[in-house]
Amino acid sequence: MKFDILIAGVGGQGVVLASRLLATAAIDAGYHVATAETIGMAQREGSVTSHVRIGDEVCGSLIPAGNADLIIGLEPAEAARNIHFLSKDGSIVVNEHAVIPSASANNTEYIPEQVIEFLKENCQETINVDFTQLAKEAGTYRAANVAMLAAAAGADLLPFDPDELWSVLEKMVPEKYRELNRKAFDMSLEKVSDIRRA
């Protein structure tokens, strides 16, 4: 068994934390795991990607182009920027909430809806939700990364189920943030269930 996940976003969105949560869940499920982060700029809003490779045997920590089974895009443009990693049968979970780079705040050419359409045209299964808004409704936009992991687990796009994932989150998320994260997690599971029923 092998399962490669690429998480893409910008600084401050919790890409590295999300990869650590997935890696820990995979280890708890009995798999070998290798991870690697590439951080374009060590500052807020710089591109950040994390490679999470799960399997019975894992060779190398970076996912080769065309091999990712799943891309979790915390920001639409960052998901599109990394789509060359996706396998032809891969899936994408993408946040509809765009982060406009501060250096190009007046850039009117970045239209997130067009980026989402591009992702849908180039992927067999794309789940797109404004996870930032969903997390805000749960109590904090900072839980958007947790909501996205829940969506991936709820859509059966991970090699472990939502309960296994939550048991890791429960251990790793500080107690004072646990209730908010649990709410975002459950709201995301419900949202994905509604999407699948539609």
Side-chain angles (χ1 to χ4, degrees):
M1 188 289 255
K2 80 94 186 158
F3 197 85
D4 291 337
I5 307 166
L6 187 131
I7 307 172
V10 298
Q13 287 192 302
V15 170
V16 174
L17 175 61
S19 73
R20 290 182 182 153
L21 292 168
L22 286 178
T24 303
I27 290 168
D28 286 358
Y31 298 112
H32 293 279
V33 181
T35 65
E37 283 95 32
T38 59
I39 300 173
M41 296 180 70
Q43 64 183 15
R44 190 168 183 80
E45 297 182 0
S47 295
V48 179
T49 58
S50 185
H51 299 236
V52 182
R53 307 196 74 192
I54 301 168
D56 298 320
E57 290 184 31
V58 179
C59 298
S61 55
L62 293 175
I63 300 168
N67 272 33
D69 300 287
L70 173 65
I71 290 178
I72 298 176
L74 278 72
E75 203 286 328
E78 295 301 325
R81 187 189 320 269
N82 289 284
I83 198 166
H84 64 283
F85 283 103
L86 193 65
S87 74
K88 64 181 171 115
D89 299 321
S91 304
I92 296 176
V93 176
V94 62
N95 189 355
E96 294 174 351
H97 183 84
V99 178
I100 307 294
S102 57
S104 59
N106 295 325
N107 183 354
T108 56
E109 294 181 9
Y110 180 15
I111 303 170
E113 293 79 11
Q114 289 181 349
V115 176
I116 298 289
E117 285 308 309
F118 167 79
L119 294 171
K120 287 180 172 179
E121 289 167 6
N122 289 281
C123 177
Q124 291 183 353
E125 181 169 18
T126 303
I127 295 174
N128 55 289
V129 172
D130 188 337
F131 289 101
T132 300
Q133 181 60 36
L134 185 147
K136 279 183 187 172
E137 291 167 14
T140 175
Y141 73 92
R142 293 181 184 275
N145 57 349
V146 167
M148 295 189 72
L149 296 182
D156 295 325
L157 299 178
L158 293 175
F160 31 81
D161 64 37
D163 290 338
E164 291 172 305
L165 182 60
W166 177 253
S167 70
V168 170
L169 286 161
E170 194 170 31
K171 287 186 281 186
M172 295 182 69
V173 172
E175 187 175 351
K176 62 183 177 181
Y177 302 120
R178 205 170 293 150
E179 187 177 334
L180 289 174
N181 278 275
R182 180 72 218 202
K183 190 172 179 184
F185 190 91
D186 288 343
M187 287 172 65
S188 187
L189 286 178
E190 188 175 332
K191 183 75 173 178
V192 168
S193 178
D194 290 345
I195 290 170
R196 291 260 161 137
R197 280 196 298 264

